[in-house]
Amino acid sequence: DAEITQSPRHKITETGRQVTLACHQTWNHNNMFWYRQDLGHGLRLIHYSYGVQDTNKGEVSDGYSVSRSNTEDLPLTLESAASSQTSVYFCASGHLGSPLHFGNGTRLTVT
Amino acid sequence: SQQGEEDPQALSIQEGENATMNCSYKTSINNLQWYRQNSGRGLVHLILIRSNEREKHSGRLRVTLDTSKKSSSLLITASRAADTASYFCATGINSGGSNYKLTFGKGTLLTVNP
């Protein structure tokens, strides 16, 4: 069965370190998204991609970057982790106008 | 800022009762979707309603959409303890070609007491 997987499930890192969260989907979706979820804010869009070599900024993109070198993967990089980036991160993928499929999330703690 | 806003933020009911959650949004949309999230898990899609539709049903779920009021409601009938979860509305907007984005609200936490 097709799926979308995120790794790691949990990550603790120190302020200032670079961190990369992985997202891999086998749905063959062109559209992929990264969201962060925080209490009181719901899900907020960080970055998204409509296909290979395409990346776009979402509403909370500062301090984050993504790259899309193939259809299956959209890694999210925190260039220099900050305590404000402690959150739960969700990756999702989907076709135009259709429901999104979500991974189970990565809980990131920046100390 | 969020495109969709759910109301209420939290809802507590008894098993067997109906639960109604509302969602308001600000701009024109192509579709509106409802998702469910159990604690510690990812979001799971429940139902999608397109902008030219007014009502959809799926099992115990009923969704309505009023584009003139920019609002939607999710009704869960005959609730069960297993329905306890957070429910999110998301507005889908096509930005040209195959470009598509979903914007989520803050969610409603539903608690169904046995």
Side-chain angles (χ1 to χ4, degrees), chain B residues 47-84:
Chain B
I47 199 163
L48 180 153
I49 186 166
R50 304 193 188 283
S51 59
N52 61 353
E53 297 175 314
R54 292 297 168 258
E55 187 171 313
K56 283 192 85 169
H57 297 256
S58 177
R60 294 183 295 112
L61 305 181
R62 172 178 169 253
V63 168
T64 61
L65 179 64
D66 186 334
T67 53
S68 66
K69 295 181 179 177
K70 293 186 170 57
S71 67
S72 174
S73 67
L74 170 66
L75 169 68
I76 303 175
T77 59
S79 63
R80 306 166 182 168
D83 293 329
T84 293

Side-chain angles (χ1 to χ4, degrees), chain B residues 3-16:
Chain B
Q3 160 75 314
E5 294 288 342
E6 292 90 344
D7 173 63
Q9 292 184 1
L11 180 62
S12 181
I13 60 174
Q14 296 300 122
E15 215 166 19

Side-chain angles (χ1 to χ4, degrees), chain B residues 18-100:
Chain B
N18 295 340
T20 299
M21 289 160 269
N22 302 298
C23 172
S24 59
Y25 57 92
K26 298 174 184 174
T27 63
S28 296
I29 61 173
N30 295 97
N31 64 64
L32 188 142
Q33 303 179 30
W34 285 90
Y35 289 79
R36 165 194 170 125
Q37 183 183 35
N38 289 90
S39 181
R41 304 300 299 271
L43 279 73
V44 174
H45 177 259
L46 294 176
I47 199 163
L48 180 153
I49 186 166
R50 304 193 188 283
S51 59
N52 61 353
E53 297 175 314
R54 292 297 168 258
E55 187 171 313
K56 283 192 85 169
H57 297 256
S58 177
R60 294 183 295 112
L61 305 181
R62 172 178 169 253
V63 168
T64 61
L65 179 64
D66 186 334
T67 53
S68 66
K69 295 181 179 177
K70 293 186 170 57
S71 67
S72 174
S73 67
L74 170 66
L75 169 68
I76 303 175
T77 59
S79 63
R80 306 166 182 168
D83 293 329
T84 293
S86 291
Y87 291 82
F88 294 86
C89 72
T91 50
I93 299 173
N94 296 351
S95 54
S98 62
N99 298 343
Y100 176 65

Side-chain angles (χ1 to χ4, degrees), chain A residues 9 31 33 35 37 40-45 48 50 59 90 95-100 102-104, chain B residues 1-2 31 33 35 37 40-43 45 48 50 88 94-95 97-102 104 106:
Chain A
R9 287 300 311 274
N31 302 326
F33 307 85
Y35 293 90
Q37 185 175 32
H41 290 280
L43 277 84
R44 292 181 291 174
L45 184 62
Y48 55 103
Y50 291 139
E59 61 179 304
F90 288 99
H95 285 309
L96 171 68
S98 297
L100 292 187
F102 279 81
N104 280 325
Chain B
S1 61
Q2 254 75 15
N31 64 64
Q33 303 179 30
Y35 289 79
Q37 183 183 35
R41 304 300 299 271
L43 279 73
H45 177 259
L48 180 153
R50 304 193 188 283
F88 294 86
N94 296 351
S95 54
S98 62
N99 298 343
Y100 176 65
K101 188 166 61 172
L102 267 189
F104 286 82
K106 296 179 182 179

Side-chain angles (χ1 to χ4, degrees), chain A residues 18-29:
Chain A
Q18 183 180 81
V19 177
T20 297
L21 309 183
C23 175
H24 179 80
Q25 53 100 1
T26 57
W27 291 97
N28 198 33
H29 290 148

Side-chain angles (χ1 to χ4, degrees), chain A residues 2-16:
Chain A
E3 60 181 0
I4 179 166
T5 55
Q6 294 183 235
S7 61
R9 287 300 311 274
H10 302 273
K11 174 77 176 178
I12 299 174
T13 192
E14 295 177 343
T15 301

